[in-house]
Amino acid sequence: MTNDKTAEQNMLHRMIVDFTTNELAPLDMKIDQLGDYPDGLFQKVIDNGLLGMTLPRQYGGAGFDYVATAQAINAMAFGNASMAVTLEGHFKTLEQLLKYGQPELLEKYLPTATKRIFAFSQTESSGGSNPKGISTRAVKQGDNWVITGDKIMITNGGLAQVYCVLAKTEDDQMAVFLVDQDMPGFSFGKREDFIGLRGTPVGEIVMDHIKVPGYHLLGSIGQGLEIGNNAHDDARVLMGAVLAGIMQHELKIAVDYAKQRKALDTPLYELQTIQEKITDIAIAKQNTELLYQHGAELKVAGEPYSKVAAMAKSYGSRSAVSSGDKALQVLAGYGYSREYPIEHLIRDARAMEIAEGTVEKMNTEISLKEVNK
Amino acid sequence: MNNEIWVFVQLNGQNVEPTSLQLITKARDIAGDRPVVALVAETESMNVEATVKEYGPDKMVILKDDQFHNASDGEIADALDQVVTDLKPNSLLFPATVLGRSVAPRLQAKLKTGLTADCLDIYFDGDDLVQVKPTYGDDIMCEIICPDVRPQMATIRPNTFKAVKAATDTETVNYSFTFHPEANIEVVSETPVINSAANISDAKTVIALGRGANNEKVIAKAEKLAGKLGGMVGVSRPLTDNEGFSHENQIGQSGNTIAPDLLINFGISGAVQYAVGIENAKQIVSINTDAKAPIFDKSDYAFVGDADEFMSALLDQVR
Amino acid sequence: MKIVVCIKQVPNTDTVKIDPKTNNLVRSNVEGIINSFDRNAIEAALELRQQAGGTITLLSMGPDSYITSLRDGLAMGADSAILLSSRKFGGADTLATAYVLSEAIKKIGDVDLILFGRQSVDADTGQVGPIVAEDLQLPQVTFAESLELQDNNQLTGHRLLDNVVQEVKVKLPAVITVRSEMNSPRYETPLNIQKSFEKEITIWSENELAVDPTQIGQAGSPTVVKRIFSPEKAGRQTQMLPNNAKDAVAQLLADLNN
């Protein structure tokens, strides 16, 4: 693998660093306290064309590949993980549309994806990401489908205007359909009050006999699980990038403090116990970077990337939580204070031990891939 | 060609810009046997010669014309070009003020000579004026010379040197020249500004209050003092809990990093978290009752004593 | 309106180090970016183009690596870019740099407005704009913090001098140097970044310009760098003020006023 970035990637990266430094990082603490994005902030993300980063040029997007996009998400997460996850949710959904969507659907919807968030929803109250327990129904009516059901814990739920939902057909086959918030029968449910990534809205949608044209079906009937899994893989690569960004933030806080603070007359960074913590964080951050970049490169190259994507998120989420704990210990009392961002970085990282498949679920997937080689 | 060092005397309204006087003193210090000449361009009614003379130039070259009122950079450069081309000084120094940094390069272009910007030091090495200037922030210094062309020109950063009065017999030369108005530009008006910033990170003067200055009386006086100095009040972490202060006013690692020209700390002990936020302040004055407070190590001026008393004295004495 | 914005590429760092062996600045491995004040100049040009129509050409003198920042300016929205690049231009000081820029502006022809950032953040001179103004015999408004189009051939600008704001009216063509207070430069959007790579960047050497060989590069530069060094970082020398508050303040004010 290579770290050579193209000139386009370099410029995108610098632009995201500038945007993050000026617009997001100063609001990082505020977003956590507010539990939302301050007024106008998300509009800036739209106005600066960030929603169209991955979208092909023919639909009005910039057409950056997943390697460049993952690096951009990583740079953004260093300043604010919530907004990075909001973009992750949008990009992974667009990937499924591009891969499985019918031309008529793409022509109709993708040109709006530079201004509107698209979300992917699988989870229902009957059970986590496990598709077996899906009770959302899709009933065929002539050329149309009628969708009824309730989806919860959707990343960007409430903020997104377009949703790809996993449903069961009458003959118990899984399929994914696209619904639009403007369609009759669509309504929003409640927003979750989560402890971390508090800027990213996570919410519920209720579908009451929403009628969609036949071309709103992604892929074919029976392909729903495959699409769901593929969405997981695409999400996990980008979440690896988010986690590496969080760890970079944790590392910076710990290093800055260790350089300034003295214990008696010895600078903190000269103490071996502190050096150990800094080293652990630095190695975990570097490993997660290598994992998510490798995952993105495999995807771009058309190679299988599911396992590496799961590794990036499994390893990355656990490491970001434990690295946050180590950074907290370096800062001691200040680390434990809400005035410093470490406590919210730990809460942010914690979300990714659960979302897009729990660590346990991913570890099962990874180990089965090793066993069944 | 002669061996004179010329200093351009900048005027702000009716007054002499202080850097010009600092440069006369510095020029005298490095001159050896080179005459120091003050170059004044003023309107007929103005008379800054008396002030300039107090700092001991050997000669003053005076250009008088009413059109210097609201003159453009190009007009000033044109007038200076006439006298410099004619009298051929060895060196020519400008204050690195906005005006100095605008007029000097235009003149440089006419004279086809070198110009070094924003110098922090100058000295002679033989006939070469060695111009010491910072680059990449102030972390790296360059020594620049202009070996083959005269005059050697430099702009010098304000307040780098002290102006010291000196008694000398000063010769005064009224130089006759022609003021050439520039057709396509007009200075419409000049309005004085009071330096005020909306954000503490940009404030030029900051009055900072800490635990040792946490009472209503001192806070009220600090606001008044900030108003007088055109500055802002900042606080260390403990005071962010007071009504009227917030994170926006906080200085330090978890607050704002500031870089004012003048920072006055009242009752601040100087913990690391605070100190990192003030490293870029130019002048730091600290007032604390504890002579061992770490803030004093980070300060240019230290007063061990009561914050309220010092504040009152400042309010009395600052005009 | 035909606008030229002169930009400089600077290292993206505040900590440039000196190689202890060669005594040269270590610049390799540091990526180049547009000098931040020049971004304000580009933004000013974009806003004027929006009002008055016209074209924006970016102009820079430097090695081929400066294409990075020209490309960046194109991504902000400029129409075209010209790089003045030649070994013969190397080692130029402000006088020689401004001379080549001026000759390029003459070659571009019929330029109404030439914008610069107020100064570069590395060399910090702010001289190139005024020298170009002099070379082209144009009026200048330096350190402008606002710029308004009066009609198609006149601008009103405000310059922040040390303690006065000067209002200046200037007829075009003119040279303006821009302070960061004037505007907030826009971001390159991902799409505009991609589009910027579809635009051609023109490269001119001394062969394309009517330049006098004695006025370019090192030959045309009167100044010489004699020495580069890192100054010792002096800690603050703390001066104790008298114990009496009145005397202390008196001494402090006397010192500060000097």
Side-chain angles (χ1 to χ4, degrees):
Chain A
M1 67 166 279
T2 160
N3 268 326
D4 286 347
K5 284 190 263 182
T6 64
E8 288 90 334
Q9 280 173 20
N10 269 326
M11 205 194 290
L12 177 70
H13 185 258
R14 207 165 44 233
M15 181 255 160
I16 297 293
V17 168
D18 283 352
F19 183 85
T20 303
T21 309
N22 299 332
E23 313 293 343
L24 298 176
L27 295 172
D28 184 52
M29 300 284 277
K30 189 173 177 182
I31 288 168
D32 180 64
Q33 285 154 12
L34 205 61
D36 206 346
Y37 299 128
D39 284 349
L41 182 63
F42 188 65
Q43 192 59 42
K44 280 188 190 169
V45 170
I46 295 176
D47 292 346
N48 286 290
L50 299 187
L51 297 190
M53 194 183 297
T54 59
L55 193 67
R57 293 286 292 276
Q58 65 191 101
Y59 302 114
F64 277 102
D65 71 14
Y66 231 56
V67 173
T69 302
Q71 279 164 350
I73 291 282
N74 174 252
M76 183 175 280
F78 174 62
N80 180 254
S82 286
M83 192 62 86
V85 168
T86 282
L87 291 187
E88 168 268 307
H90 179 62
F91 294 152
K92 77 152 183 216
T93 309
L94 297 185
E95 289 301 302
Q96 311 323 310
L97 280 169
L98 288 164
K99 186 167 177 185
Y100 298 102
Q102 302 176 33
E104 209 175 346
L105 183 68
L106 303 192
E107 289 306 324
K108 185 171 159 196
Y109 274 90
L110 289 187
T112 70
T114 57
K115 303 282 179 206
R116 303 202 294 175
I117 285 264
F118 285 45
F120 199 94
S121 59
Q122 306 195 46
T123 308
E124 298 184 5
S125 52
S126 54
S129 298
N130 178 7
K132 300 257 160 62
I134 293 296
S135 61
T136 295
R137 287 284 158 184
V139 177
K140 184 114 179 156
Q141 258 187 17
D143 287 342
N144 299 321
W145 289 90
V146 177
I147 321 280
T148 301
D150 190 349
K151 293 282 177 188
I152 60 166
M153 296 197 187
I154 306 163
T155 302
N156 295 325
L159 182 67
Q161 301 181 29
V162 180
Y163 293 81
C164 293
V165 296
L166 186 66
K168 250 185 201 164
T169 58
E170 284 162 294
D171 54 353
D172 270 0
Q173 299 223 68
M174 306 297 289
V176 174
F177 297 89
L178 181 145
V179 300
D180 188 318
Q181 67 161 12
D182 295 332
M183 292 173 163
F186 184 103
S187 59
F188 287 114
K190 82 174 181 62
R191 177 172 174 159
E192 299 292 340
D193 186 14
F194 279 159
I195 63 164
L197 291 176
R198 291 184 53 79
T200 320
V202 178
E204 177 185 14
I205 61 169
V206 180
M207 295 166 289
D208 180 11
H209 295 88
I210 298 181
K211 190 152 92 178
V212 299
Y215 63 82
H216 276 227
L217 170 69
L218 270 65
S220 54
I221 298 297
Q223 226 179 350
L225 277 188
E226 179 198 322
I227 300 173
N229 288 336
N230 198 64
H232 274 322
D233 293 344
D234 289 340
R236 288 168 186 176
V237 171
L238 298 184
M239 279 196 172
V242 173
L243 290 158
I246 290 176
M247 276 183 266
Q248 193 189 340
H249 196 172
E250 292 165 344
L251 182 62
K252 181 177 191 307
I253 294 168
V255 166
D256 284 353
Y257 190 82
K259 277 160 76 177
Q260 287 154 15
R261 182 78 174 190
K262 284 182 181 172
L264 299 175
D265 280 335
T266 313
L268 227 48
Y269 67 86
E270 288 183 9
L271 302 177
Q272 205 169 14
T273 51
I274 299 293
Q275 292 168 350
E276 247 169 51
K277 292 183 181 67
I278 288 174
T279 306
D280 285 350
I281 303 172
I283 293 173
K285 173 199 145 253
Q286 184 91 53
N287 279 337
T288 308
E289 281 172 1
L290 294 172
L291 281 168
Y292 91 72
Q293 284 166 4
H294 187 46
E297 281 165 2
L298 288 172
K299 176 177 156 70
V300 169
E303 307 275 340
Y305 59 100
S306 180
K307 185 175 79 178
V308 176
M311 286 174 165
K313 193 174 91 80
S314 171
Y315 175 81
S317 60
R318 287 178 289 150
S319 305
V321 171
S322 66
S323 297
D325 195 51
K326 285 167 189 158
L328 189 154
Q329 196 66 16
V330 172
L331 270 73
Y334 289 106
Y336 194 62
S337 163
R338 276 180 185 256
E339 205 174 321
Y340 282 78
I342 294 182
E343 59 91 22
H344 98 67
L345 297 180
I346 296 174
R347 287 188 277 109
D348 289 354
R350 195 68 182 77
M352 284 168 275
E353 288 187 307
I354 300 164
E356 300 293 347
T358 58
V359 166
E360 291 76 7
K361 183 169 183 283
M362 286 184 297
N363 291 356
T364 302
E365 289 173 28
I366 295 166
S367 64
L368 286 179
K369 286 204 167 81
E370 295 298 335
V371 171
N372 297 331
K373 253 183 187 173
Chain B
M1 187 86 55
N2 60 46
N3 66 345
E4 291 170 352
I5 311 172
W6 286 26
V7 173
F8 174 70
V9 176
Q10 182 184 333
L11 305 180
N12 287 342
Q14 298 294 313
N15 303 314
V16 177
E17 197 281 325
T19 316
S20 312
L21 302 175
Q22 296 158 13
L23 294 188
I24 293 173
T25 300
K26 180 65 183 176
R28 284 172 49 92
D29 286 350
I30 63 167
D33 57 1
R34 300 171 181 85
V36 172
V37 178
L39 174 60
V40 180
E42 62 180 4
T43 59
E44 300 285 354
S45 60
M46 284 171 78
N47 189 352
V48 298
E49 289 90 319
T51 308
V52 174
K53 222 179 213 172
E54 289 181 51
Y55 293 84
D58 298 294
K59 187 159 76 176
M60 286 188 290
V61 173
I62 317 277
L63 312 185
K64 270 191 188 278
D65 194 301
D66 275 346
Q67 295 172 94
F68 279 125
H69 175 68
N70 285 356
S72 71
D73 299 345
E75 288 162 348
I76 299 170
D78 174 76
L80 300 186
D81 178 40
Q82 295 176 46
V83 62
V84 171
T85 303
D86 182 19
L87 301 182
K88 298 187 173 52
N90 172 284
S91 302
L92 176 53
L93 309 177
F94 283 79
T97 54
V98 170
L99 186 78
R101 295 185 71 163
S102 304
V103 170
R106 270 205 97 117
L107 179 59
Q108 170 202 9
K110 290 172 189 283
L111 300 169
K112 298 269 181 267
T113 184
L115 169 67
T116 304
D118 203 30
C119 295
L120 289 177
D121 199 11
I122 43 172
Y123 63 91
F124 277 101
D125 178 11
D127 193 54
D128 288 333
L129 181 71
V130 181
Q131 302 146 21
V132 187
K133 86 170 295 274
T135 185
Y136 298 97
D138 289 350
D139 287 344
I140 293 178
M141 302 294 245
C142 280
E143 291 192 341
I144 292 174
I145 53 173
C146 180
D148 303 322
V149 191
R150 296 290 179 267
Q152 314 178 72
M153 291 177 67
T155 67
I156 317 271
R157 192 182 289 186
N159 304 319
T160 307
F161 306 109
K162 276 191 180 179
V164 179
K165 291 185 183 176
T168 314
D169 285 334
T170 305
E171 178 194 349
T172 302
V173 176
N174 282 301
Y175 186 81
S176 97
F177 74 106
T178 310
F179 191 99
H180 296 122
E182 212 178 340
N184 292 333
I185 186 164
E186 179 195 351
V187 176
V188 181
S189 65
E190 292 197 336
T191 321
V193 278
I194 297 155
N195 200 328
S196 64
N199 187 320
I200 194 155
S201 316
D202 303 326
K204 293 285 176 215
T205 304
V206 173
I207 313 294
L209 305 176
R211 227 187 272 268
N214 190 3
N215 69 67
E216 280 177 30
K217 208 169 66 181
V218 174
I219 293 172
K221 282 183 188 171
E223 298 283 2
K224 210 166 151 191
L225 183 61
K228 261 185 150 175
L229 295 172
M232 285 188 76
V233 175
V235 294
S236 66
R237 199 165 73 104
L239 270 73
T240 53
D241 293 336
N242 287 29
E243 217 170 295
F245 293 126
S246 70
H247 187 72
E248 311 277 306
N249 311 92
Q250 191 197 334
I251 300 164
Q253 190 173 41
S254 55
N256 297 283
T257 300
I258 60 170
D261 292 336
L262 176 63
L263 166 67
I264 312 181
N265 295 307
F266 289 95
I268 283 173
S269 65
V272 184
Q273 289 74 20
Y274 180 79
V276 296
I278 63 167
E279 277 169 359
N280 296 326
K282 286 207 186 89
Q283 294 273 4
I284 301 179
V285 183
S286 296
I287 294 90
N288 203 299
T289 48
D290 176 8
K292 288 185 182 151
I295 192 70
F296 288 136
D297 295 340
K298 313 256 181 319
S299 305
D300 302 287
Y301 295 94
F303 177 77
V304 181
D306 185 60
D308 188 28
E309 261 181 47
F310 194 88
M311 188 96 75
S312 303
L314 264 174
L315 275 172
D316 285 347
Q317 293 183 42
V318 171
R319 272 168 295 150
Chain C
M1 190 184 290
K2 198 164 172 183
I3 306 172
V4 169
V5 186
C6 296
I7 69 171
K8 182 177 182 186
Q9 184 162 312
V10 297
N12 185 15
T13 174
D14 337 308
T15 49
V16 174
K17 295 202 167 54
I18 292 181
D19 184 323
K21 282 183 195 143
T22 63
N23 238 1
N24 286 327
L25 296 179
V26 182
R27 292 200 216 196
S28 55
N29 296 330
V30 181
E31 64 166 354
I33 55 166
I34 302 181
N35 175 45
S36 68
F37 294 113
D38 301 348
R39 294 179 80 93
N40 296 103
I42 295 172
E43 178 63 32
L46 292 166
E47 287 170 17
L48 286 170
R49 186 184 64 184
Q50 201 164 358
Q51 291 171 48
T55 59
I56 300 168
T57 301
L58 302 173
L59 184 61
S60 192
M61 188 181 100
D64 287 353
S65 63
Y66 274 37
I67 281 179
T68 307
S69 52
L70 286 169
R71 192 76 76 194
D72 202 350
L74 291 173
M76 284 179 73
D79 300 289
S80 59
I82 301 169
L83 178 66
L84 308 173
S85 185
S86 162
R87 281 183 177 278
K88 297 234 165 77
F89 297 155
D93 69 4
T94 54
L95 191 69
T97 303
Y99 170 69
V100 177
L101 289 175
S102 302
E103 291 304 317
I105 292 165
K106 283 183 199 163
K107 183 178 163 85
I108 294 167
D110 299 322
V111 174
D112 297 301
L113 183 62
I114 302 150
L115 294 170
F116 289 81
R118 57 174 276 185
Q119 67 202 57
S120 65
V121 297
D122 56 353
D124 241 353
T125 75
Q127 288 166 196
V128 175
I131 301 172
V132 166
E134 181 62 35
D135 284 350
L136 297 174
Q137 289 296 298
L138 295 177
Q140 71 183 35
V141 182
T142 54
F143 295 87
E145 59 169 6
S146 80
L147 209 54
E148 269 170 50
L149 193 63
Q150 296 302 329
D151 51 60
N152 263 341
N153 75 349
Q154 187 164 298
L155 289 169
T156 299
H158 287 88
R159 314 165 75 183
L160 188 56
L161 270 63
D162 303 286
N163 52 7
V164 294
V165 174
Q166 207 178 51
E167 185 182 325
V168 184
K169 265 191 198 159
V170 64
K171 284 213 179 89
L172 302 183
V175 171
I176 314 281
T177 79
V178 173
R179 290 181 88 112
S180 57
E181 287 86 346
M182 188 183 285
N183 53 41
S184 306
R186 66 194 63 188
Y187 299 101
E188 316 82 344
T189 67
L191 177 57
N192 286 339
I193 288 170
Q194 296 283 26
K195 285 183 177 167
S196 75
F197 283 86
E198 289 150 21
K199 295 180 189 172
E200 281 281 323
I201 292 178
T202 307
I203 298 183
W204 286 346
S205 69
E206 69 280 4
N207 299 323
E208 281 81 19
L209 299 172
V211 288
D212 168 1
T214 65
Q215 290 193 60
I216 62 173
Q218 211 144 18
S221 299
T223 59
V224 175
V225 176
K226 194 179 164 211
R227 187 165 81 100
I228 297 176
F229 63 102
S230 297
E232 294 281 312
K233 272 216 168 153
R236 291 182 194 265
Q237 298 278 339
T238 311
Q239 190 182 334
M240 297 302 294
L241 294 169
N243 290 334
N244 175 297
K246 266 187 189 163
D247 299 345
V249 168
Q251 190 190 318
L252 176 68
L253 293 179
D255 265 28
L256 291 179
N257 285 334
N258 247 313

